[in-house]
Amino acid sequence: MNIEPIFLVGAGGHGKVVLDALLRAGTSPDRIVVSSDRVSTESMELLGIRVRYPAIQSAAGTGLFHVAIGSRAVRRRLSLS
């Protein structure tokens, strides 16, 4: 059983869809970390999970990552960083 945390980067519409899919697939909400770089999300919850602000910057190598940002150009830039 995989218990690594899942870091979901992006708390907009696309992030909500990805989070919903994770939850419906049976992923425990305790494993999911949602982050955003928008200050407007600082005290926001997405499907019951608190959004972390600022976005996670130093968690590389500690879990699974999914860049859930709708803009293809931004998603590509972040995925290749």
Side-chain angles (χ1 to χ4, degrees):
M1 172 187 267
N2 187 352
I3 57 170
E4 290 181 298
I6 299 172
F7 296 96
L8 184 61
V9 181
H14 186 60
K16 186 175 182 180
V17 169
V18 173
L19 177 58
D20 184 53
L22 285 169
L23 294 171
R24 288 177 184 264
T27 305
S28 170
D30 296 336
R31 283 188 55 208
I32 303 170
V33 178
V34 180
S35 68
S36 174
D37 65 350
R38 291 188 179 172
V39 73
S40 62
T41 62
E42 190 168 11
S43 61
M44 184 175 129
E45 282 192 0
L46 197 62
L47 299 178
I49 297 176
R50 185 178 65 87
V51 176
R52 296 187 187 196
Y53 171 85
I56 298 163
Q57 297 178 3
S58 62
T62 63
L64 305 171
F65 284 80
H66 184 88
V67 180
I69 296 174
S71 168
R72 180 177 176 243
V74 174
R75 189 173 59 245
R76 180 173 170 83
R77 181 172 43 90
L78 290 174
S79 296
L80 298 176
S81 307

